[in-house]
Amino acid sequence: MENNNQKKRMLSGIQPSGDLHLGNYLGAISNWAARADEFDNYYFMADLHTITVRQEPADLRRRSLNQLAQYIACGLDPEKNVLFMQSHVPAHSQLAWVLNCYTMFGELSRMTQFKDKSAKHKDNINAGLFTYPVLMAADILLYQADYVPVGEDQKQHVEICRDIATRFNGIYGDVFKIPEPYIPKAGARIYGLTTPTDKMSKSIPDGCIFLMDTPDVINRKFKRAITDSDTVNCIRYDKENKPGVANLMNIYSTLTGQSFEQIEAEFEGKGYGAFKPAVAEVVIDTLTPIREEAERLMKDKAYLNSVCKDGAERASYVANKTLNKVYKKVGFLMPER
Ligand code: TRP
């Protein structure tokens, strides 16, 4: 469990299966960036995971590199964070195979994401979808990560990772660090603008603010945001009865640092007609510099490729140490050098 660095290690990934959006930014990436000095950080594009669902090859390739540009534009400094493509570090696939043999069919069958996704993609219930959590466990365990920042929906995957690691350690001794999920505070959870009880998702683009959306598009999406079904046109935080307003207040509060009481006071006597454009404005103010920087970086392929290469090298160094240890433990003959 080598980590000579005294700092605790953080690791997370996002699948480049869609474009990054405000939910990814406020719920994940902005928090990662804010903690960069406190931890030893590994963040990757989980491209291997994306093919559990069919992808258009050219789109996947473009989104993977764009996601890296957007990570950097959101403030993830490649010096302070090891940024890499999962597929550039073969150890992920290699450890996943080994861990597949230490994971039970029954425990994978109980995973809610597998049940959901296999219901959604009935024509492609492939084995990769089933063993998805094993690859994710490999992602985490290779780096001996202390903390894994994930949304509530991925908590079960961190739990199965802990179970697999504990089982393996029980047989072979202390090989893996047992990671902890690191769930962001409730405030960081962003819901869809048109479906305010479901988390913001690329699959409902009208209610999803993408990091690359222009001010016009952002204004239009906020204009159409659902507020509530009652007719009281007032700004009040009531998650139960006014989830749409609560979500907008949450976005506004996260971006301005104002409390819900302060927001209620600011918009006292004003209606949604005043509030929605105000939220759109702070979102535009936040995303414009990110979009501009990402656009600049996306054109600089040489730079992005150099970040990828450097990231893959730094990640491989750590990952291969763990993989070698695992290979020895399970009894593989080490090749002569
Ligand atoms: N499954 C995660 C998601 O869809 C992405 C992911 C893959 C991940 N490997 C990981 C997250 C390892 C944290 C750690 O959100």
Side-chain angles (χ1 to χ4, degrees), residues 144-199:
Q144 310 289 357
D146 295 280
Y147 299 115
V148 185
V150 284
E152 198 62 48
D153 62 315
Q154 295 294 315
K155 220 174 136 185
Q156 199 185 28
H157 287 157
V158 180
E159 261 146 37
I160 197 174
C161 170
R162 291 165 56 90
D163 292 343
I164 298 168
T166 305
R167 179 175 303 136
F168 197 93
N169 284 353
I171 307 172
Y172 300 105
D174 263 357
V175 177
F176 297 127
K177 160 88 60 58
I178 309 297
E180 304 271 349
Y182 194 94
I183 310 285
K185 54 179 172 18
R189 187 165 180 148
I190 307 300
Y191 297 89
L193 302 186
T194 52
T195 50
T197 48
D198 294 321
K199 75 171 188 174

Side-chain angles (χ1 to χ4, degrees), residues 11-15 44 46 49 132 136 139-140 148 150 154 157:
L11 169 137
S12 195
I14 298 179
Q15 296 189 54
F44 59 96
H49 278 103
Y132 179 112
M136 181 158 160
D139 297 339
I140 299 167
V148 185
V150 284
Q154 295 294 315
H157 287 157

